[in-house]
Amino acid sequence: MSKKKGYKNHSFFEDGKVVLITGASSGIGKNVALALANYGTKLVIVARREKKLMQTTRQLRKLKIIVLPIIGDIRTRDDRARIIELSLKNFGRIDVLINNAGLGKANLFLEQPISEIDELIETNILGLVKMSKLVIPIMKEQNDGHIINLSSSLALLPVYPFAVYCATKSAVKTFSDCIREEVKAYGIKVSTVFPGPYGTEFHKVAGLDDSSYQSYSVSRLAEKIARLVIKPKENLIQPWFFIPLIWITTRFRFIKRKITLLISRSIMEGKIKKGKLESMKKEEKLKITVKTP
Ligand SMILES: NC(=O)c1ccc[n+]([C@@H]2O[C@H](COP(=O)([O-])OP(=O)(O)OC[C@H]3O[C@@H](n4cnc5c(N)ncnc54)[C@H](OP(=O)(O)O)[C@@H]3O)[C@@H](O)[C@H]2O)c1
């Protein structure tokens, strides 16, 4: 199998490191798994939809990758325990945990059902935190490990129709920043990824029409995350031009408000196109006065 140019001599390949990716049946997780095929890691891939997860598995096996698919829900205690148990039984170690499984729900907070709020918090925060809680002792024992948490650029640019989602992704950022300091002493690294809008199933699951705004190609993002596995760094913001955008908005509150309202408006439009007319009425009531360019 061809190894990625420039990383040929990295010990990662010789050691046959084990990477556990949650949410690998579609989107970013699936593409990161495929990108990692270039680095010769062993993979544990997790998701709830068996058919889709097995599609990823077949694609990886065609690339001669050793892969263990596990059908599981990261919100469930038994499933989390089974994921760890099977990973250790098959590979004896877990070197990298990519906490990618997650979802968004575009909704006004006032309209959002409690079931949606529960799903967002249980998956994006509790699932991620509890997976980390199980894996850190293993990495501590190995005196080596790396946790990569998927946050979102919306953690840094909060938009109102995604209030609970943004809150969960801010929590991911804060959690990563805190544990990074605590686990450093045991040789464990922690990275946070802040993607902008990428073309995955995310928008469909969130209840949005993806034609209403720009989204970027997921394979390039996946490649960057795969490189993070080899060369850890604390934060990865993608696409790159979100770095100056976020920098400007954190310094100038007026610009931040303008931009977040513009994004909010395009999200609302995406929802309206999906026929969610109640949201349109609510939006009128909120009197959002930002003009689209
Ligand atoms: N795409 C974007 O624009 C974007 C931007 C910023 C951040 N993100 C973040 O990136 C991550 C990946 O999203 P994506 O864009 O790739 O969306 P996606 O295509 O919908 O993928 C989400 C993945 O998470 C899995 N998943 C969801 N809930 C799960 C659960 N309870 N247990 C196990 N697996 C679960 C899904 O698989 P099953 O349904 O088969 O379980 C799927 O494989 C998410 O954390 C998301 O918040 C995405």
Side-chain angles (χ1 to χ4, degrees):
M1 180 204 331
S2 71
K3 306 282 195 242
K4 217 54 192 169
K5 216 174 150 193
Y7 291 94
K8 271 183 189 156
N9 298 322
H10 199 284
S11 59
F12 223 87
F13 304 127
E14 291 123 45
D15 298 352
K17 300 246 173 153
V18 179
V19 181
L20 193 172
I21 310 175
T22 65
S25 60
S26 65
I28 298 172
K30 175 177 182 168
N31 278 274
V32 171
L34 291 168
L36 280 169
N38 288 314
Y39 299 116
T41 57
K42 291 174 190 155
L43 294 175
V44 180
I45 57 172
V46 177
R48 293 164 301 175
R49 287 170 298 171
E50 181 172 2
K51 207 170 154 192
K52 288 242 172 193
L53 193 70
M54 292 320 289
Q55 273 173 9
T56 310
T57 306
R58 280 192 295 277
Q59 277 178 268
L60 289 164
R61 286 189 177 148
K62 267 192 194 155
L63 297 166
K64 307 262 183 286
I65 294 302
I66 300 173
V67 54
L68 171 67
I70 304 176
I71 315 300
D73 186 333
I74 58 152
R75 293 173 297 177
T76 313
R77 181 202 284 247
D78 288 352
D79 282 8
R80 288 190 301 267
R82 190 167 49 83
I83 292 163
I84 302 302
E85 199 183 298
L86 284 172
S87 304
L88 290 179
K89 196 171 156 203
N90 279 269
F91 298 130
R93 54 189 295 125
I94 300 169
D95 297 285
V96 183
L97 166 65
I98 306 185
N99 271 319
N100 163 79
L103 77 159
K105 291 284 178 192
N107 222 334
L108 294 171
F109 181 62
L110 295 178
E111 282 188 2
Q112 195 152 36
I114 290 290
S115 58
E116 246 180 51
I117 297 173
D118 284 345
E119 191 181 2
L120 288 164
I121 294 174
E122 283 167 13
T123 313
N124 296 359
I125 308 182
L126 294 178
L128 178 145
V129 167
K130 291 176 182 179
M131 283 300 291
S132 306
K133 182 83 177 152
L134 290 176
V135 159
I136 288 171
I138 297 162
M139 293 180 170
K140 190 177 162 196
E141 188 82 7
Q142 293 167 181
N143 203 26
D144 183 36
H146 186 187
I147 297 177
I148 300 177
N149 290 328
L150 265 287
S151 175
S152 167
S153 55
L154 295 186
L156 309 166
L157 278 173
V159 295
Y160 75 86
F162 262 120
V164 178
Y165 175 72
C166 291
T168 63
K169 293 300 180 178
S170 296
V172 170
K173 177 196 180 305
T174 308
F175 173 68
S176 305
D177 288 343
C178 291
I179 62 163
R180 179 176 299 121
E181 295 310 317
E182 190 184 333
V183 300
K184 199 156 61 180
Y186 307 111
I188 305 169
K189 287 136 314 242
V190 179
S191 304
T192 318
V193 184
F194 301 89
Y198 281 88
T200 65
E201 292 181 16
F202 178 88
H203 302 102
K204 194 174 134 211
V205 174
L208 291 172
D209 181 294
D210 21 356
S211 64
S212 41
Y213 48 86
Q214 171 87 35
S215 60
Y216 305 98
S217 157
V218 71
S219 56
R220 286 198 64 169
L221 169 69
E223 186 57 43
K224 297 271 181 193
I225 298 173
R227 281 183 187 225
L228 209 56
V229 168
I230 310 294
K231 265 191 152 183
K233 63 176 185 172
E234 290 183 5
N235 297 304
L236 174 69
I237 299 176
Q238 284 291 312
W240 69 266
F241 57 84
F242 271 54
I243 300 170
L245 178 73
I246 288 162
W247 186 87
I248 290 167
T249 57
T250 49
R251 268 143 198 88
F252 304 101
R253 287 180 66 193
F254 170 73
I255 297 176
K256 182 173 186 170
R257 189 171 145 71
K258 270 269 183 214
I259 289 176
T260 53
L261 283 175
L262 274 173
I263 301 172
S264 296
R265 192 171 178 92
S266 87
I267 291 169
M268 293 306 288
E269 275 164 11
K271 229 176 135 53
I272 290 161
K273 279 195 189 163
K274 276 277 187 188
K276 310 274 185 201
L277 293 175
E278 333 85 274
S279 302
M280 186 166 69
K281 286 184 208 140
K282 292 278 177 190
E283 191 200 22
E284 276 168 11
K285 276 191 198 153
L286 287 167
K287 293 203 189 338
I288 304 304
T289 50
V290 175
K291 292 184 183 75
T292 37

